[in-house]
Amino acid sequence: MFDYRPDAEYDIVFSSGVLHFIRQTERKELFDSLKAHTADSGINALNVFVKKPFIEPAPDQTKEEEKGQPWHSGELFGYYHDWLFHTCSEEIFDCNSGGIPHKHCMDTLIAQKNAFIFSE
């Protein structure tokens, strides 16, 4: 994931539950690349775990997940400010992974490239 950059054009880019490993300093370059390799009217469907000070880390969090790079509310949406949003949401939800009840916060975005048609 750290070294991957698309080398073709795609109609759909989908990522769920892995972008929290991308360092904040590398995010803009990654999203610029994903957006550039999305076909006109293509869709990017993404979600990221968001750090909230009132939500404790998951009790079954692995060492790799502990190394995750925290995302902040709305950060993902900012990378797509120039696309049409079909879904833009933040949700806190219950989870029982590992058999221990806990909560997560997630931002979800489904956005479309060049979805605007302007006429004079």
Side-chain angles (χ1 to χ4, degrees):
M1 182 71 199
F2 296 113
D3 299 324
Y4 174 76
R5 295 302 178 266
D7 57 3
E9 190 172 86
Y10 299 94
D11 293 323
I12 298 174
V13 173
F14 175 80
S15 177
S16 180
V18 297
L19 293 174
H20 59 281
F21 291 110
I22 303 299
R23 289 179 207 83
Q24 190 170 23
T25 57
E26 298 171 357
R27 292 176 188 166
K28 181 179 183 327
E29 187 271 326
L30 171 64
F31 288 110
D32 285 349
S33 179
L34 294 176
K35 291 167 63 177
H37 288 89
T38 302
D40 285 345
S41 297
I43 298 286
N44 282 202
L46 314 161
N47 64 37
V48 295
F49 291 103
V50 175
K51 184 174 180 65
K52 293 289 189 181
F54 53 85
I55 297 177
E56 294 294 323
D60 61 340
Q61 187 169 301
T62 66
K63 293 292 181 192
E64 290 79 24
E65 290 170 328
E66 287 177 18
K67 296 176 189 172
Q69 303 292 314
W71 285 73
H72 302 285
S73 292
E75 181 182 353
L76 173 64
F77 312 139
Y79 293 113
Y80 286 85
H81 68 276
D82 52 345
W83 285 33
L84 174 66
F85 288 10
H86 291 282
T87 298
C88 172
S89 65
E90 181 167 279
E91 179 180 358
I92 296 173
F93 61 94
D94 294 320
C95 182
N96 284 314
S97 62
I100 302 170
H102 57 280
K103 295 188 180 298
H104 292 284
C105 182
M106 183 169 279
D107 279 5
T108 300
L109 176 67
I110 300 174
Q112 186 174 12
K113 182 178 183 177
N114 297 334
F116 304 103
I117 298 174
F118 297 102
S119 61
E120 293 183 27

